[in-house]
Amino acid sequence: MRLKGRVHKFGDDVNTDEIIPAKYLVTTDPKELAKHCLEGRSKDFAKKVKPGDIVVAGRNFGCGSSREHAPLAIKGCGVSCVIASSFARIFFRNCINMGLPILESEKAAKEAKQNDNWKIDLSKGEIKNITKKRVYKVQPFPKFLKRIISSGGLMSYISSKEGKERRKRKAT
Amino acid sequence: MGMTITEKILAAHTNRKRVEPGEFIEAKVDIALGNDITAPLAIEEFRKSGVKKVFDRSKVVLVPDHFTPNKDAPSAQQAKILRDFAKEQNLKYYFDVGRMGIEHALLPEQGIVGPGDLIIGADSHTCTYGALGAFSAGVGSTDLAAVMITGKLWFKVPETIRFIYRGKLNKWVSGKDLILYTIGDIGVDGALYKTMEFTGEAVSSLSMDSRFSMCNMAIEAGAKSGIIAPDKITLEYAKKHCSLFQPKADPPLADTVHCSLPTSDPDANYCEIREYDCSKIEPQVAFPHLPSNTKPVSEVGNIPLDQVVIGSCTNGRMEDLRIAAKVLKGRKIPSYIRLIIIPATQNIYLQAVKEGLTEIFLEAGGVVSTPTCGPCLGGHMGVLAEGEKALATTNRNFKGRMGHPKSEVYLSNPAVAAASAIKGRIAHPTEI
């Protein structure tokens, strides 16, 4: 999968209260959540962001609560990918499970500037900073995670797996 | 090579002799938890899957505790999704207002979780149950949906950092201070993806309530879980609360769901070992806007307060209320300070009434609320205005966490919180 978009740069320890404050957690509608996406860090992010844009951040992105509303709000804005030096683990899980592409690259994250133009090739694990004419290689995901990602998220993964097991049981 | 307690529990739930850090596994889940914020999304996913019944009606637990008693119409709608689902699935464990408590105080109290269990919850503070010697981790709503269907979930076996707390605790120091001190030391991502195993004589001396506070905040260091190997104190607690309690062999067998007593082997592999001398640790205060911005309370200077909150899944238990009452007894808080006390469960509330603690709180000028997560996440029951400062016994002090983005939250133990309510500024209990 190839993605292309403009960079929105954030710092370290962006927490889920900043991504989507708790007062908005009275809905699960991605479009509604998207209106307040990242407002704890950037008041006008939700207005400025365009479909395909890329969120780039420092260490420990998505720390704090387990609320899946956080990746849901980011996805709802049309953000195509989140790249950070590192991710908080529940946020990381949530993205894998719901199919929001994320990549860890400390170097790419450090050298990114607001409004840089980036191209990302997820299958090759490659980030291209077109503005700065730099290319970064990303550590590929382990096989197990790739299976979930290529199924289109955890729910499709288990339904295809369960289906397979059921067919196997029937056959024997 | 031996195994850590965490590796043993994960291996037992995967029907294997051993698992290695870094490995991906699909493990059986004993208890799966959701609340009024996270469960609606999980239930939505569950319905989309077309599956009709949860994998086990006694293993899926729903607790509407965040915005309840319903703070507004949309949150009422969310709570209703849980209620309807619980009825439809005939869930054994569903707790509505009046029986409801803050989930991470409620589940151990009700004996739903116990030593050796593997627990997941769509709430980041699910790591609390590690205090019982269980593997317990926060996950997302989709994870919860997957477990509701299959009874299993994927995990990456975490590496373990061993923390050794040596010596005796100073007066007014509790599990909350040990964990704040530790987070101050390693930072908010100091244990990212890892398990924090708390050991040492100071930890052995802690009450269960204090151990729950400690494991509760493992997530604030980025950890997947926190864990304390079960000992005499755990056993006593489990016997009292966990009706299913039957000590089982070590390592536990995957199907003996409840209450085994695993421990780490002497030659278990730790990615890091850190030691602390508890004689040097005094009550801690975390400054805005990260739980790692800690200082000893003697070094905080003059921080005037508008509000003090004593409660939450971190510090709303019996021991916490008793300590707060001890400090507040016979005293009045200044008229411009709001003191909000939230017993974490209905039983704790009732016990506080019986022991006369609520009377002490009310006479001091505080309010006592029904159990709710409420102000901790800026939901209701004590949201802050612009520029206001609160000291709370909660677990997070992120920007805007308790209300206005320009408000500030400081974190401490209940003794410091009570003393600070009396003084109107952050204060050491010895000042009272």
Side-chain angles (χ1 to χ4, degrees):
Chain A
M1 196 159 72
R2 290 203 179 89
L3 311 167
K4 200 177 154 192
R6 215 161 39 109
V7 163
H8 297 262
K9 176 100 190 254
F10 295 90
D12 291 339
D13 302 317
V14 173
N15 66 65
T16 50
D17 281 279
E18 291 171 320
I19 298 173
I20 184 80
K23 62 184 167 189
Y24 303 122
L25 302 182
V26 289
T27 175
T28 54
D29 178 6
K31 285 276 165 281
E32 207 41 54
L33 295 168
K35 289 182 196 161
H36 308 286
C37 186
L38 279 155
E39 88 176 18
R41 279 275 168 140
S42 157
K43 226 29 226 135
D44 50 355
F45 170 80
K47 283 191 200 115
K48 284 193 309 200
V49 67
K50 293 204 170 61
D53 282 0
I54 296 157
V55 166
V56 181
R59 282 164 54 166
N60 203 23
F61 185 84
C63 61
S65 130
S66 70
R67 60 188 75 151
E68 213 157 295
H69 309 66
L72 211 54
I74 293 173
K75 212 176 170 186
C77 288
V79 167
S80 63
C81 185
V82 184
I83 303 213
S85 303
S86 65
F87 290 96
R89 63 160 280 277
I90 306 179
F91 184 88
F92 182 88
R93 275 191 90 91
N94 285 342
C95 291
I96 299 284
N97 288 344
M98 64 180 276
L100 173 65
I102 53 170
L103 293 172
E104 269 184 3
S105 171
E106 195 169 356
K107 198 149 187 252
K110 260 194 187 143
E111 293 179 5
K113 286 265 155 23
Q114 180 72 21
N115 295 330
D116 276 356
N117 278 307
W118 276 20
K119 258 191 193 168
I120 297 164
D121 188 325
L122 286 175
S123 44
K124 274 177 47 194
E126 199 178 84
I127 301 169
K128 263 190 198 158
N129 185 334
I130 302 167
T131 313
K132 297 214 165 52
K133 297 193 177 63
R134 276 188 202 138
V135 180
Y136 309 91
K137 275 283 182 196
V138 182
Q139 191 84 359
F141 282 123
K143 248 195 224 153
F144 180 83
L145 293 187
K146 270 189 183 160
R147 277 210 297 272
I148 297 180
I149 296 164
S150 65
S151 311
L154 184 63
M155 294 311 279
S156 352
Y157 169 77
I158 63 162
S159 68
S160 67
K161 198 168 157 259
E162 289 273 297
K164 247 186 242 161
E165 279 171 9
R166 225 172 292 138
R167 280 195 294 279
K168 221 164 80 188
R169 274 201 299 273
K170 261 190 188 165
T172 51
Chain B
M1 177 65 75
M3 287 201 287
T4 66
I5 176 171
T6 300
E7 288 154 15
K8 284 184 189 179
I9 297 172
L10 290 175
H13 286 79
T14 321
N15 282 326
R16 282 173 47 184
K17 288 229 161 61
R18 63 181 299 131
V19 293
E20 304 288 343
E23 207 184 330
F24 284 87
I25 55 166
E26 281 180 289
K28 273 194 200 168
V29 172
D30 295 320
I31 288 292
L33 164 74
N35 60 47
D36 51 323
I37 289 179
T38 58
L41 261 176
I43 293 168
E44 210 174 294
E45 288 298 320
F46 179 87
R47 297 228 189 275
K48 271 195 244 162
S49 77
V51 174
K52 294 281 176 274
K53 284 271 165 211
V54 297
F55 82 107
D56 188 333
R57 61 170 281 273
S58 59
K59 293 183 178 181
V60 176
V61 182
L62 294 182
V63 187
D65 58 356
H66 278 61
F67 292 157
T68 53
N70 302 327
K71 76 181 179 85
D72 52 18
S75 64
Q77 215 59 44
Q78 301 238 110
K80 190 171 181 300
I81 296 173
L82 271 67
R83 191 174 303 116
D84 292 345
F85 189 76
K87 265 191 214 161
E88 170 201 306
Q89 298 288 327
N90 190 25
L91 296 186
K92 186 174 174 190
Y93 300 117
Y94 165 74
F95 300 90
D96 217 324
V97 172
R99 272 118 352 232
M100 179 272 289
I102 298 176
E103 53 202 57
H104 306 311
L106 188 66
L107 266 61
E109 177 198 282
Q110 297 291 319
I112 298 168
V113 292
D117 281 353
L118 192 157
I119 305 136
I120 63 102
D123 187 278
S124 60
H125 293 109
T126 302
C127 51
T128 309
Y129 317 129
L132 289 161
F135 174 83
S136 191
V139 297
S141 297
T142 304
D143 285 309
L144 175 60
V147 178
M148 292 200 301
I149 296 167
T150 65
K152 287 186 196 159
L153 193 59
W154 69 271
F155 298 97
K156 186 177 166 188
V157 178
E159 294 181 299
T160 300
I161 308 177
R162 183 178 177 199
F163 295 86
I164 308 171
Y165 299 86
R166 303 238 185 249
K168 269 179 81 174
L169 295 182
N170 288 315
K171 195 163 162 61
W172 304 112
V173 171
S174 66
K176 177 66 165 286
D177 302 295
L178 296 187
I179 191 66
L180 282 176
Y181 184 86
T182 306
I183 299 166
D185 178 42
I186 66 173
V188 288
D189 62 352
L192 201 58
Y193 304 122
K194 298 183 174 117
T195 288
M196 299 170 87
E197 186 177 325
F198 304 116
T199 66
E201 60 263 31
V203 171
S204 303
S205 75
L206 292 177
S207 67
M208 276 314 297
D209 283 1
S210 231
R211 294 180 189 190
F212 284 125
S213 327
M214 208 171 169
C215 289
N216 172 274
M217 288 190 70
I219 176 73
E220 310 315 332
K224 180 175 211 137
S225 57
I227 197 161
I228 298 172
D231 59 11
K232 254 198 262 166
I233 292 172
T234 328
L235 264 172
E236 226 167 84
Y237 183 92
K239 273 185 191 152
K240 192 172 158 204
H241 292 267
C242 186
S243 59
L244 297 165
F245 181 76
Q246 291 165 332
K248 287 274 163 33
D250 175 15
L253 307 163
D255 284 322
T256 61
V257 166
H258 274 285
C259 303
S260 313
L261 291 177
T263 51
S264 290
D265 293 324
D267 58 343
N269 189 25
Y270 294 101
C271 65
E272 195 182 343
I273 296 176
R274 300 184 84 85
E275 293 191 38
Y276 300 114
D277 174 1
C278 290
S279 68
K280 295 194 178 120
I281 299 176
E282 63 166 295
Q284 302 287 305
V285 175
F287 275 53
H289 293 287
L290 284 176
S292 55
N293 289 338
T294 53
K295 279 183 194 177
V297 64
S298 60
E299 290 172 22
V300 299
N302 183 28
I303 312 274
L305 298 167
D306 300 288
Q307 179 168 302
V308 171
V309 176
I310 300 175
S312 84
C313 59
T314 318
N315 282 117
R317 296 183 182 80
M318 218 45 235
E319 176 181 280
D320 304 316
L321 300 188
R322 285 185 188 132
I323 290 170
K326 196 170 154 189
V327 177
L328 286 162
K329 192 170 182 179
R331 298 189 169 87
K332 288 240 179 277
I333 61 167
S335 53
Y336 50 84
I337 287 270
R338 297 152 349 229
L339 169 63
I340 299 167
I341 296 173
I342 310 176
T345 70
Q346 197 80 359
N347 282 341
I348 293 170
Y349 198 145
L350 191 60
Q351 187 63 27
V353 172
K354 283 181 187 161
E355 291 183 19
L357 309 186
T358 40
E359 210 176 311
I360 294 170
F361 299 145
L362 296 177
E363 277 175 356
V367 294
V368 182
S369 154
T370 188
T372 180
C373 305
C376 170
L377 74 163
H380 62 152
M381 275 304 298
V383 173
L384 299 175
E386 182 173 356
E388 287 192 324
K389 287 184 171 63
L391 177 66
T393 67
T394 57
N395 41 54
R396 285 193 182 127
N397 54 352
F398 297 154
K399 215 172 158 190
R401 171 82 177 173
M402 202 174 271
H404 196 280
K406 283 186 182 149
S407 60
E408 290 184 349
V409 180
Y410 297 75
L411 306 174
S412 77
N413 74 25
V416 171
S420 304
I422 297 165
K423 288 284 176 191
R425 58 167 172 81
I426 298 181
H428 197 295
T430 51
E431 293 181 53
I432 304 299

